[in-house]
Amino acid sequence: MYYQGADLRTIWKYGIANGFIKPQFHAREHLNVQLWMRDLKSNFTTVRKAFKYHFFAQNVVTSSALQKHYLAAYAAETDAEFLVLKDIIADGLNLFQSFFGFRSESFIAANYVWPQELESFLANKKIRFIQSQRGQIAPVLNLNKRKNLYHYFGQKNKYNQRFFLRNVLFEPYINQDYDWVDAALKEIGNAFLFNQPAIICSHRINYVSGMSVENRDKSLFKLRSLLKAALKKWPDVRFMSSDQLGRHCFPSSTV
């Protein structure tokens, strides 16, 4: 709730109260705490250097054979790491409720990485909807390997949770010269063609000015253009938060 030293809590609460945004749980921190702390204590040169300048997310060679950075917060590799991970998530969900005043009903894992065992724990925490890309990277606990799992919109796991897929990419920060509006409109059209909702993947880095005011302004202009074009092409389009979408599509879904 803080950015560049500014307290944004009032702005967040105003946005929620006026229907501009409906937060859902992502992570307590977008960081694999256990791996990062292990490497920091082991005096990995790149990690220590980044720490000196208040960074942790550099692309480096970590002590894990499976992870090239520290952003995959839920990439537990052993039973012991998984136990700690559950405590971290429980704390994160409680912090979320404490600040926003409501529980999160949906969940999206950092970097789309999580062990399948986590889904049972999330179900016990009343998480009804799991958002992902088509592919999930699932660490296999204690075997030092991962497997790729594939999902489709509305897929149900054995805990009665439903999967949502991000099927539209809108990330102008990657390349401001690319026609993101046209590309996103085509992907939205494809989703609607198959009678599915358009779930847009678009990150905060597009819209904040801490790194580049110019990037923020260009991205906001393109977002405005996308919304106007979508409303013109599909006048009856409805905008929903993740939990609203889940309740609309699967009203009887319970965990």
Side-chain angles (χ1 to χ4, degrees), residues 40-236:
L40 191 62
K41 291 177 180 178
S42 298
N43 286 316
F44 270 50
T45 303
T46 52
V47 180
R48 295 293 298 186
K49 185 174 182 179
F51 181 78
K52 178 181 177 181
Y53 293 99
H54 309 290
F55 284 94
F56 63 80
Q58 75 282 15
N59 290 325
V60 297
V61 177
T62 75
S63 62
S64 168
L66 302 177
Q67 301 179 63
K68 296 181 180 180
H69 56 70
Y70 301 101
L71 294 177
Y74 305 123
E77 298 178 15
T78 66
D79 287 335
E81 290 182 359
F82 185 62
L83 284 174
V84 174
L85 176 61
K86 290 195 290 185
D87 287 340
I88 290 173
I89 294 175
D91 184 50
L93 287 169
N94 288 335
L95 288 170
F96 182 99
Q97 182 177 18
S98 175
F99 181 82
F100 293 116
F102 56 87
R103 299 289 292 184
S104 180
E105 293 184 64
S106 70
F107 166 89
I108 181 163
N111 290 71
Y112 313 107
V113 179
W114 74 93
Q116 283 186 289
E117 291 86 349
L118 186 59
E119 293 166 21
S120 172
F121 177 76
L122 293 173
N124 288 334
K125 296 298 181 181
K126 306 302 181 185
I127 296 294
R128 301 168 60 189
F129 313 112
I130 298 175
Q131 195 174 147
S132 177
Q133 289 184 324
R134 288 181 177 83
Q136 169 196 350
I137 300 173
V140 182
L141 298 179
N142 306 312
L143 293 182
N144 197 35
K145 68 177 185 179
R146 294 174 166 185
K147 58 184 177 180
N148 295 321
L149 303 176
Y150 296 95
H151 302 293
Y152 56 86
F153 179 80
Q155 179 183 359
K156 183 169 67 173
N157 65 12
K158 60 183 177 181
Y159 308 108
N160 209 35
Q161 294 162 311
R162 297 282 185 169
F163 286 92
F164 294 172
L165 302 185
R166 290 180 171 181
N167 51 14
V168 180
L169 188 66
F170 188 75
E171 304 284 11
Y173 82 93
I174 295 175
N175 180 1
Q176 287 287 1
D177 294 325
Y178 181 68
D179 193 342
W180 289 97
V181 174
D182 182 66
L185 286 171
K186 289 177 180 177
E187 290 180 325
I188 293 170
N190 288 336
F192 290 168
L193 180 65
F194 291 97
N195 199 31
Q196 293 188 354
I199 301 176
I200 300 176
C201 177
S202 191
H203 284 77
R204 183 186 68 167
I205 191 173
N206 294 289
Y207 311 112
V208 296
S209 59
M211 296 181 67
S212 171
V213 173
E214 181 183 10
N215 174 75
R216 177 202 65 187
D217 292 345
K218 287 182 176 180
S219 296
L220 286 172
F221 176 80
K222 290 173 182 177
L223 176 63
R224 188 177 298 111
S225 298
L226 174 62
L227 296 177
K228 286 183 177 180
L231 284 167
K232 182 178 180 180
K233 190 168 186 178
W234 301 286
D236 58 346

